[in-house]
Amino acid sequence: MEVEASFRVASRINCKAAPYRNPICNYRTLNLRFPYHHRLPHLSNASFYTLKSCYCKAIVKESSTEVVEKGRKMYSHDIKLSSLTALCPLDGRYWAKVKELALFMSEYGLIRFRVLVEVKWLLKLSQIPEIPEVPSFSKDTEAYLQGLIDGFSLDDAMEVKKIEKVTNHDVKAVEYFLKQKCQSHPEIGKVVEFFHFACTSEDINNLAHALMLKEALSMVMIPAMDEVISAISDMAMENAHIPMLSRTHGQPASPTTLGKEMAIFAFRLSRERQDISKVKILGKFAGAVGNYNAHLVAYPDINWPQVAEEFVTSLGIDFNPYVPQIEPHDYMAKLFHSIIQFNNILVDFDRDIWGYISLGYFKQITKAGEIGSSTMPHKVNPIDFENSEGNLGVANGGLSHLSMKLPISRWQRDLTDSTVLRNMGVGLAHSLLAYRNTLMGIGKLQINEASLSEDLNHTWEVLAEPIQTVMRRYGVPEPYEKLKEVTRGRVVTQESMREFIKNLDIPGDAKMMLLNLTPQTYVGAAAELAKNIKTAINLVNGLTA
């Protein structure tokens, strides 16, 4: 009775808290709703804890139904996939910038290349005289089979997926799809069982994955990399003569030119791009454990390793002769590591440009209607370089996992690579998105020569390096120490530096040269290096012009 009475009193006291009731209630919540000064004097501690327990249960009982009902209204289990409901932003917000990759790196692309491999294998078997069961096809039949590849559509891929619902095996679904397509054909119908002759699923899959990467790289990724390199090379050449203060360790250092700093990135990226293009994409076609076991039982007189090599290389893929059930993916690790390094260099570029924008070396061209900050109207944020950096990080995280995981497979194979390989397109797409963002950012940049010049005008101390070097040439004792005394921790001006030079005991022509030197002209060979960047890149790529 004591508890019930107290509960009624406490409930009346805290009626205003009712809208904030939480179905996940605990004693801490109740302590807040029933502070110490609201407790009835006669209520014991034991009775109060009993009251709290009762109140929590009452809240849960009363509120849980409401919460569930609200949840049903807010969340629909039959939600449809769209650009707004896609779990991955690549398939939603960023789709327009990365959709070229979908033709190669999506599940549709995987199925399409599986079809290609199965069809090409049947054509290869028809060309082997020692397999009379698969006679040479007529030109019309070969054209029909090629049409299955060239005309493969989204509807065809959906048909394969319907078959997979029954087979619960994605590669077998492709085989059944082709059998359905060819069952009634007068020539192919007689040999449909040879579509998957002596093949393990990984014979089909590894070549499909290889073709996915080969086409995605040549058609999308490397051209995008070339665009980035070209844009940065153009920046280098256009700004070859514009002097800029270097900032080693964040401190004023010997001047350079803006163009030469851009040339460094263009050259670094071009070397990595070249390494990427040189990675040999490998394939195997040696059966269940890489020994041509079934092949040799069926046709013991055929040189199956030679046939496999001919078939794999006919697809534009290099042949790997020593394999377990799978192609071991070492080439993928090398490829993804090279892309990671390209991306790391681009992160370095993005951050440097971000810093130069912060220093005022670059202005950003504004776009009508574009908002820089939701609360600060004056701001134009370097969002393209920030987006690029963020996406390069996501890309490298995924590609790093791929490169470390894929070469590892228990014994002749385990299935851990299968699900991981489905994420190849994620790392590539985030990389592509980053390249596009960097290009957008570069397109908005305007050089602020006044800011660059002002920085140099305030840092005459950077001439301490050439002055002490000339002093060494002419035997002036302790040149470094003398310049250190004059410059370190002091405000150095043009006048103070000129006064120091005038008092030097060095030949007149050397003294005149130093007196004419300014931070703007002390840039060494920077301008020439920047102007020659495209020649240097051509040499990296093995070109002479």
Side-chain angles (χ1 to χ4, degrees):
M1 292 296 293
E2 177 190 10
V3 171
E4 287 183 12
S6 300
F7 181 77
R8 287 194 296 273
V9 172
S11 297
R12 287 196 298 273
I13 291 172
N14 291 276
C15 61
K16 292 183 179 180
Y20 304 102
R21 289 177 182 173
N22 189 333
I24 305 174
C25 185
N26 53 37
Y27 287 161
R28 182 175 178 276
T29 303
L30 196 61
N31 278 330
L32 293 174
R33 294 189 183 175
F34 294 91
Y36 181 80
H37 66 270
H38 283 158
R39 299 183 191 179
L40 298 180
H42 66 277
L43 189 63
S44 66
N45 284 339
S47 297
F48 185 71
Y49 283 115
T50 303
L51 167 62
K52 287 199 290 186
S53 177
C54 293
Y55 186 66
C56 289
K57 291 176 182 176
I59 289 176
V60 171
K61 184 175 181 181
E62 181 179 354
S63 303
S64 60
T65 303
E66 299 173 9
V67 171
V68 170
E69 191 59 35
K70 286 179 181 178
R72 285 175 179 165
K73 291 178 181 177
M74 288 175 63
Y75 305 109
S76 173
H77 293 293
D78 62 349
I79 190 168
K80 303 298 182 185
L81 178 63
S82 72
S83 61
L84 293 178
T85 60
L87 290 176
C88 177
L90 297 171
D91 299 318
R93 182 180 184 88
Y94 302 130
W95 172 251
K97 293 183 179 180
V98 299
K99 61 183 179 181
E100 300 101 306
L101 277 175
L103 184 62
F104 312 109
M105 303 308 298
S106 63
E107 186 163 12
Y108 162 76
L110 175 59
I111 296 171
R112 182 167 65 93
F113 284 118
R114 282 171 173 162
V115 167
L116 183 152
V117 174
E118 295 272 12
V119 169
K120 292 288 188 181
W121 179 233
L122 183 63
L123 285 166
K124 177 63 177 178
L125 293 174
S126 73
Q127 298 164 4
I128 301 174
E130 293 87 352
I131 305 180
E133 291 80 6
V134 187
S136 297
F137 293 130
S138 66
K139 292 296 182 184
D140 287 344
T141 298
E142 288 182 354
Y144 178 86
L145 287 169
Q146 187 62 43
L148 295 176
I149 299 170
D150 297 340
F152 190 78
S153 66
L154 284 172
D155 288 339
D156 290 331
M158 291 301 296
E159 184 61 32
V160 173
K161 294 299 291 182
K162 287 179 184 177
I163 299 171
E164 185 186 341
K165 287 181 180 179
V166 178
T167 63
N168 198 30
H169 195 289
D170 48 4
V171 177
K172 205 66 178 175
V174 171
E175 179 189 347
Y176 287 175
F177 166 78
L178 290 170
K179 286 181 178 180
Q180 289 178 9
K181 285 284 187 180
C182 300
Q183 194 70 54
S184 60
H185 191 280
E187 289 187 56
I188 310 171
K190 298 174 183 178
V191 295
V192 290
E193 294 301 332
F194 281 84
F195 265 120
H196 201 67
F197 175 77
C199 293
T200 182
S201 296
E202 273 306 301
D203 285 329
I204 308 303
N205 279 336
N206 91 95
L207 295 182
H209 288 131
L211 290 168
M212 290 166 70
L213 285 172
K214 179 176 179 289
E215 295 300 312
L217 287 170
S218 64
M219 301 298 291
V220 181
M221 297 304 296
I222 289 179
M225 292 175 177
D226 287 341
E227 280 188 67
V228 172
I229 294 168
S230 179
I232 299 174
S233 298
D234 289 342
M235 289 179 68
M237 297 182 72
E238 290 166 6
N239 301 290
H241 291 90
I242 295 180
M244 181 180 82
L245 182 68
S246 291
R247 293 178 179 272
T248 57
H249 307 281
Q251 306 302 309
S254 300
T256 181
T257 71
L258 179 59
K260 186 263 179 176
E261 299 311 302
M262 299 301 101
I264 293 171
F265 287 110
F267 189 72
R268 292 173 67 193
L269 289 169
S270 67
R271 288 193 302 181
E272 289 306 319
R273 180 263 189 223
Q274 185 66 3
D275 286 348
I276 291 166
S277 67
K278 286 181 178 179
V279 174
K280 290 185 177 180
I281 295 179
L282 301 177
K284 57 85 66 171
F285 212 73
V289 292
N291 301 333
Y292 308 95
N293 303 42
H295 308 64
L296 287 166
V297 169
Y299 297 97
D301 297 327
I302 295 177
N303 185 344
W304 286 109
Q306 180 181 330
V307 169
E309 182 172 3
E310 290 172 356
F311 176 61
V312 171
T313 56
S314 73
L315 302 176
I317 298 168
D318 284 87
F319 181 63
N320 189 347
Y322 289 93
V323 294
Q325 185 179 100
I326 62 171
E327 200 292 318
H329 310 312
D330 296 331
Y331 84 86
M332 289 186 179
K334 182 181 291 188
L335 173 64
F336 296 145
H337 273 305
S338 294
I339 295 173
I340 288 170
Q341 184 56 19
F342 183 97
N343 291 351
N344 279 338
I345 295 169
L346 196 59
V347 168
D348 198 21
F349 173 82
D350 288 335
R351 290 181 179 178
D352 273 15
I353 296 296
W354 188 96
Y356 293 144
I357 292 171
S358 178
L359 291 172
Y361 290 178
F362 289 108
K363 297 178 182 178
Q364 295 181 95
I365 300 171
T366 56
K367 197 174 181 181
E370 196 173 77
I371 303 297
S373 166
S374 62
T375 187
M376 293 173 279
H378 65 283
K379 294 189 72 179
V380 183
N381 296 328
I383 56 173
D384 298 308
F385 298 104
E386 292 170 341
N387 286 346
S388 175
E389 181 182 341
N391 278 288
L392 290 168
V394 175
N396 283 1
L399 293 172
S400 178
H401 177 66
L402 288 169
S403 61
M404 290 188 294
K405 186 272 157 295
L406 289 176
I408 301 170
S409 185
R410 298 172 183 88
W411 294 340
Q412 283 65 54
R413 78 104 20 132
D414 64 45
L415 202 64
T416 53
D417 66 327
S418 180
T419 187
V420 173
L421 284 165
R422 292 182 181 273
N423 292 277
M424 293 191 301
V426 178
L428 295 184
H430 277 289
S431 299
L432 179 63
L433 178 59
Y435 306 160
R436 299 273 162 82
N437 282 326
T438 294
L439 286 167
M440 284 181 61
I442 290 173
K444 296 178 183 178
L445 295 177
Q446 279 185 331
I447 308 301
N448 186 356
E449 292 191 51
S451 178
L452 289 160
S453 182
E454 183 181 1
D455 251 9
L456 289 165
N457 286 333
H458 286 90
T459 53
W460 280 81
E461 62 269 22
V462 297
L463 296 186
E465 180 191 38
I467 294 170
Q468 60 103 2
T469 303
V470 172
M471 290 167 67
R472 289 178 191 277
R473 176 184 175 183
Y474 293 107
V476 178
E478 298 184 332
Y480 179 88
E481 288 71 20
K482 287 182 171 63
L483 265 300
K484 176 181 172 183
E485 184 180 344
V486 170
T487 58
R488 187 176 293 189
R490 298 169 181 254
V491 176
V492 180
T493 65
Q494 181 180 10
E495 291 73 23
S496 64
M497 193 59 77
R498 287 174 64 86
E499 188 64 30
F500 179 85
I501 295 169
K502 288 177 181 178
N503 293 324
L504 291 176
D505 184 17
I506 59 175
D509 58 344
K511 185 177 293 187
M512 186 58 62
M513 181 272 295
L514 290 177
L515 288 170
N516 290 330
L517 195 61
T518 69
Q520 284 85 351
T521 59
Y522 180 52
V523 294
E528 288 71 23
L529 289 167
K531 286 191 295 184
N532 293 327
I533 182 58
K534 292 199 173 179
T535 300
I537 289 174
N538 285 338
L539 289 174
V540 168
N541 294 330
L543 304 175
T544 57

